[in-house]
Amino acid sequence: MTVQSEGLGYVLSSKGASSFSENTLGGKASQMAWLTRNGFNVPEWFVITTEAFNGFVSENKLGDWIDEKLKTLSDQNVGPVSEEIRNKLLSGVLPCALEEQISESLATMPNGVEDFYAVRSSVVGEDAASASFAGQMDSELFQKGIDAITHSVKSVFASAFTERALIYRLHHNIDYRNIKAAVIVQRMIFGSVSGVMFTAHPINGRRDQGLISACYGAGEGIVSGLCSTDEYTASLDAREVESTINEKDIQLVFDEERGLGTIEKPVPEALKNKACLTNEQVKQLIRTGKSIAEARLFPQDIEWTVESGVIYILQTRPVTSMPPPEKPKGDRIVWDNSNIQESYCGVTTPLTFSFANRAYATVYEQTMRLMGISEKEIQKNQGMLRNMLGLIKGRVYYNINNWYRGLLFLPSFGTNKEAMERMMGLQDPVDMIQDTHLSAFQKLKKLPGMLKALIILLSHFVRMGSLVDQFKAMFQREYNAIPRTQLHTLEMAELMALTKQLDNNLLNRWTTPIVNDFYVMIYNGKVNSCLTKVGIENAEVVQNNLLSGEEGIESTEPTKMLLRMCSFVRSDKSLKALINGTENQYLLDAIQVQSPEFYLQCLEYIELYGDRTIGELKLESVSLRQDPSFMFAVLKNFLSREDLSEETLSSNETAFRQEAEQEAFGKIEQQLGAKKLATFKVHLAKLRDAIKHRENMRLARTRMFGLYRDIYIEIGRQLQMDKQLDEARDILYLTVEELDAYMEGRSVSSLNDLAQLRKKEFASYEQEELPHHFSTWGPVYHHNSYEYKGGHEALDADSDELSGLGCYPGIVEQPVRLIFSPEDELSLDGQILCTVRTDPGWAPLFPTAGGLLVERGSTLSHSAVVARELGIPAIVNIPGITKIINDGERVKMDGAKGTIQRLDTTTETV
């Protein structure tokens, strides 16, 4: 234990205490000293310092003994250790000097030793902002005379070592081997009503409201939980007060018979259901509490009592914890990842998110300029552009608010809003961003800008074919300008310069794909609206069939090339045996030796489509350039199906398309006339072209991301070599802004420390499940629970039938194969592929699947588009299916109706 300091008395008056720190006074006395010197109505008091406690321990030669006892403290022996220490302290003798100073201090009080006093603990660390010991140490009330008070002082000293106090320290990691205990002696107020007041509401979490709990008698009845209380919720300006008056049966009052201490007594019948406090007293208390909190700049937990109508403040402490508000203040943001999880599936690393977020801002800013929006307006909307995406527990979400705000720059917000929701697969449309209701003058003022944007969009729509050709030529030129095989010869500054080169020469010229997305959105909406208007049954399925069979879509080119390679393998029995008999990770080397011609085909595929892999837009994904195993897994799948070839791949497409055209065209002409049918055909042709352009330009995006991936991984290797990172791939846990800061001298933390911390954090996110859609209020990461509260009923895990959105017709009865990553078992052989989401990298798996079930997605998502092109029955947007259906379970799916019938619900998970 610590020893007594020279020159400091054992007892300090309330005024004298203001010159000393909490280390001497303990937490409670330090707060009381502040209350006293700031003029609050605090009953007279003095404090026995922590030095007195040290002197008491030293006088009784207990210091080393207590230290040794505390060293053995654990959850298992805390009770016996506490009892031993307390008994030793209670049997000890106070130093003579301490008893003398207590007597002298009592003599200075208004009624001296003839008055009653409360003897309370004041331990260093008690009532701190980070921890509260409320109720952990003892208080002795209604004590009178030197003998009673000195005995109470020893009891309070000893209560620093109660079992509950030691457990509290143990569980809050507070050092218990250097306990510093002071004691407050305060004039006892014979309060008729007492209680506790919080200046921030501890139940609903509101900081603009206070809560008062009041009972009859002494306030210790509340702390101990003995007494029932009335509850008063009041705004801090005291204008609004809500009362909850409860039956109060017990009160803690002065024990008149003993003439000392307290006793439990029943509350008089007339008072049991009567409010403890008047409305004016509640308001007076709240005003006082507000004054204390404002002076302390922190919410306060205040004990008070009322005697003869006068309110006394007994103590105050910081509020150490608050629940989240029932509804946090701040703007509501709607988050949805129904569509974007197709590109950024599952947990996404900081590097990928920061890169994607900056890319979105850059591309959409350029698009706004293209549409003739002024620089002033663009700068005004930088907040929107910077926040198109969000990252929540490692998952990427669209900030739907800002996507809707972007639509306000286009004519006809309402129509475009519905079209965008359909394209993005939004299951829960949001009406929080409304089209602006303008006066005639405002509309006239805005009209030129809207007309300008409309004319620019229409002119681009007309020239979309040539613009796409120009874009692809530009992309190929810039792509070829990156020395991909020579990255290892460049220094970090040169590598970072390459990322800026890609930013300037590609990202800043990415407007054609974005304008084409508007093209898709608008004409998809027009086609769907017409089909719905004429009452086409299963309009979504018919629309999907109308879009099938389009030639020249590059999404299917990787699959077709693999099928051509498969035909080559079938013509060479020894090569086929080599592929089927060798593990995927060793195949490329083996093929190089046995079949140089096929080896060159493999290299050509990797060069053309090596970046097209599952999770292709995630910089952390391992592409075929790093590991070609996925390519060989698909080849083996194809080889297992002798009936599968490029020629037989989509034999049903034409029939489905013709059937859909016959149904839709006939109904539209019958109900709307030949002129409307002609318009519909024009819109359908434009939509088909737009989808083809979109899929073709997606490959360019994939290859661009592949370039960035290779550059950043090489930077990671060099940072590892220079001992700035433990591993090269740790760069994935940094952001592009942090890498820029590292280059420019603005880093504020070690890159490696950040990376290691985030690796652990993001690994923990893998164990969590987040919904596809939710709202937040105020700070996104503060007091928000990320819960889905939409109108869609949860799927019944025990149901025999599930349903989703049919994308391509066909009835398939097969076992389900659950696949989530390239590391899973990929052999399908006619089984139904079931997964959470897909991106273009999944396409080579589709031909050997009997059908496709996807938990997320829309009729325009990649899985739907490719399924149509390959003629595979498909259903998307089946919430929760991967958690309901087991791997290997037999189902019957109907791609037209969008239904899944479970045939074997007792199948065990494989």
Side-chain angles (χ1 to χ4, degrees), residues 741 746-750:
R746 296 181 286 105
S747 288
V748 295
S749 298
S750 157

Side-chain angles (χ1 to χ4, degrees), residues 221-239:
I222 296 178
V223 175
S224 65
L226 172 69
C227 300
S228 298
T229 63
D230 292 337
E231 304 286 335
Y232 304 88
T233 293
S235 59
L236 293 185
D237 60 11
R239 292 180 181 177

